[in-house]
Amino acid sequence: MEILIPGLILVGFMVWASTRIKRNAARAFEEENVETQEFSLVKPEGFLSHAEPPGELLFSAYSKEYGRDDAESLRKAVAEVRRFDGAAFDDIREAAKQDGAGLVSEQTGVIAERRCANIVVEGRAKGVAIETSHKIIAGERAVYQLSVSVLSDHRDDLSAKVDRFIDSFALK
């Protein structure tokens, strides 16, 4: 009996802690407005962003789910924001078009007095077909690029989330 009461208290604490951890982990995958000093965007539900993006990335997020079959080691989608200091808008736009094996679409224009391009290319990653959507915006001293890569098998399932990323990406 002397061991039963502390054991029950310990089990109760473990259940409480487990529930709290699961709830916080689920919250990390909820939709989130990302605001930095340089840009803003909406991270759609089902994506997790890195607190400290790797390398020279300003932002990085990935989907909760992995691909299937040959793509089981790849996330269904990955989003990244890069800044190119002192770069020319047209150079970054051309580099994005060369990023894949084939150009799917390209739209250029001016939004909020900034040159902007939306480019979609097809390519391969680890032998798996992917589609990458780029939104490129010219800033005052740099060019910013949001790239969202999606496994081609999941393009239709994730198109609304990719559109949410692309449409919400803006410079301050």
Side-chain angles (χ1 to χ4, degrees), residues 142-160:
V143 177
Y144 293 80
Q145 177 180 6
L146 167 66
S147 300
V148 185
S149 298
V150 178
L151 298 175
S152 293
D153 290 347
H154 302 282
R155 175 181 46 221
D156 294 337
D157 302 338
L158 296 173
S159 65

Side-chain angles (χ1 to χ4, degrees), residues 19-151:
T19 303
R20 188 159 178 98
I21 290 168
K22 287 178 185 177
R23 192 175 340 143
N24 287 339
R27 247 189 240 135
F29 286 99
E30 291 178 355
E31 184 172 293
E32 176 184 2
N33 291 322
V34 177
E35 299 275 339
T36 71
Q37 293 178 349
E38 301 174 80
F39 67 90
S40 64
L41 60 77
V42 174
K43 176 191 69 76
E45 182 180 353
F47 283 80
L48 180 66
S49 60
H50 290 99
E52 294 288 328
E56 296 180 9
L57 298 175
L58 301 179
F59 172 83
S60 177
Y62 54 88
S63 64
K64 186 179 201 177
E65 299 90 15
Y66 286 89
R68 57 182 178 262
D69 300 329
D70 293 340
E72 64 186 14
S73 66
L74 299 172
R75 299 281 182 169
K76 286 184 180 179
V78 176
E80 300 173 337
V81 175
R82 289 180 171 80
R83 178 183 59 228
F84 301 94
D85 294 319
F89 175 82
D90 289 326
D91 292 343
I92 302 304
R93 187 175 57 81
E94 288 301 320
K97 291 192 314 190
Q98 304 303 318
D99 183 38
L103 179 66
V104 174
S105 68
E106 178 182 16
Q107 297 175 335
T108 58
V110 177
I111 298 175
E113 300 181 16
R114 297 181 191 272
R115 290 182 69 193
C116 179
N118 288 340
I119 297 169
V120 179
V121 295
E122 293 177 331
R124 298 192 81 66
K126 297 185 181 181
V128 178
I130 61 168
E131 183 176 281
T132 303
S133 300
H134 301 281
K135 183 170 185 178
I136 302 165
I137 305 173
E140 292 178 22
R141 295 182 189 99
V143 177
Y144 293 80
Q145 177 180 6
L146 167 66
S147 300
V148 185
S149 298
V150 178
L151 298 175

